[in-house]
Amino acid sequence: MKTDYLLNITLPELTFYLFRWVLKFYLCAESVLQMFTNSHQHLIWILCPAGSQMGQGLWRIARNQQLQQQGYSGQGYLTREHGRRIPANNVSNTSHRKQAQGGIDIYHLLKTRKSKEQEGFINLEMLPPELSFTILSYLNATDLCLASCVWQDLANDELLWQGLCKSTWGHCSIYNKNPPLGFSFRKLYMQLDEGSLTFNANPDEGVNYFMSKGILDDSPKEIAKFIFCTRTLNWKKLRIYLDERRDVLDDLVTLHNFRNQFLPNALREFFRHIHAPEERGEYLETLITKFSHRFCACNPDLMRELGLSPDAVYVLCYSLILLSIDLTSPHVKNKMSKREFIRNTRRAAQNISEDFVGHLYDNIYLIGHVAA
């Protein structure tokens, strides 16, 4: 009868019975092992040698249970304090920091909190000045003004506002002058910001505002340096202003250094500071002419090696602009090939080598437009 039952048992029932017996065996073995390790730890070294795997495993279990009873976890960490685990090997270091004499305990100040339910923000006035200024230096002008409502002496420091001024407006004539009575970099920042907004609305009024406040000298070279080191000016208004002030444009071009630069990369850098007009005309021709002379002046050895002149560089620049439009415009279906570009360019400038023109094509094809 029992044999018939064993023959008729299904696979799921057999699996269930095996799992139940294995579970019972595991629970029984665990209880016996726990009782053994708690009451007879000294027998582990007698029954199981220290070098054997069983001896090491039994002693590790006993040691972990002992650490748990003393307040440690199985990985050598103390219980959580204020929501953070503290390593056991750092307990002595932590207590040493807390008991250190002289100066402010930075570690204790950064780690302590008011309570488990409420966490307070660090008071910057309790930190060393260098550390406080480093933290505040990452704020912009708006956030720094808000921070001055809490830490007035720190947030109003002249070094912080001087860094904000020079990081946004790299050159001003007033930087190189003796500051007048009552001068403040915070006030200067407000004046520079207001002048930039005025320039973006009306370039002439903006420049006159800077001059009236003593920020800029009435000199084309000083105005060109200010434009070259400033990134907050509207490029459309700047293009209109440079088209009217060719003297400022000349000084602005001379500030560029194209030494040892590949021609398309130098042209990109030039149009990044002096934006190209949207249409072909006299202003674009003026820009390319000034760039060609400046590029040749910065690379005299390269010009002699390649046999190029400012007129030849002028032709290459126009070719690069047309090629950029041809390769990047979605309206042009039949793109110019490398062979066609070499043939057309060498017709206009016969002294240029074929390899050099081929490298020009590869640069535009891989990197993109020179006046984007």
Side-chain angles (χ1 to χ4, degrees), residues 258 262-268 270-271 276 280 284-296 303 308-325 341 345 348-349 352 356-357 360 364 369-371:
F258 303 123
F262 196 37
L263 181 59
N265 297 333
L267 195 59
R268 289 190 186 94
F270 179 76
F271 284 132
R280 297 174 60 181
L284 178 61
E285 295 178 358
T286 302
L287 292 180
I288 298 178
T289 301
K290 294 182 181 297
F291 169 80
S292 302
H293 286 83
R294 182 60 182 170
F295 184 81
C296 293
M303 297 300 104
L308 298 178
S309 62
D311 294 336
V313 175
Y314 178 89
V315 173
L316 291 177
C317 290
Y318 249 117
S319 301
L320 291 175
I321 293 175
L322 295 177
L323 177 63
S324 300
I325 297 174
F341 177 75
T345 304
I352 303 176
F356 181 75
V357 179
L360 296 178
I364 302 298
H369 207 299
V370 294

Side-chain angles (χ1 to χ4, degrees), residues 14-57:
L14 180 61
T15 305
F16 172 75
Y17 286 122
L18 290 176
F19 177 76
R20 188 174 64 177
W21 281 107
V22 169
L23 183 60
K24 287 183 178 180
F25 177 79
Y26 174 78
L27 294 176
C28 181
E30 184 180 10
S31 60
V32 172
L33 181 61
Q34 184 177 4
M35 179 180 62
F36 176 77
T37 53
N38 287 339
S39 58
H40 303 286
Q41 293 182 11
H42 62 281
L43 295 179
I44 295 177
W45 297 102
I46 300 175
L47 298 178
C48 301
S52 63
Q53 294 182 356
M54 180 177 295
Q56 293 178 0

Side-chain angles (χ1 to χ4, degrees), residues 76-95:
Y77 283 86
L78 284 173
T79 55
R80 293 181 178 269
E81 178 181 355
H82 299 288
R84 187 181 184 276
R85 294 190 305 176
I86 302 177
N89 55 1
N90 291 340
V91 174
S92 59
N93 296 334
T94 304
S95 61

Side-chain angles (χ1 to χ4, degrees), residues 20 56 74 107 120 122 144 153 177 187 214 288 352:
R20 188 174 64 177
Q56 293 178 0
Y107 180 85
I122 302 172
L144 196 58
D153 295 336
K177 298 180 180 179
K187 181 180 178 181
I288 298 178
I352 303 176

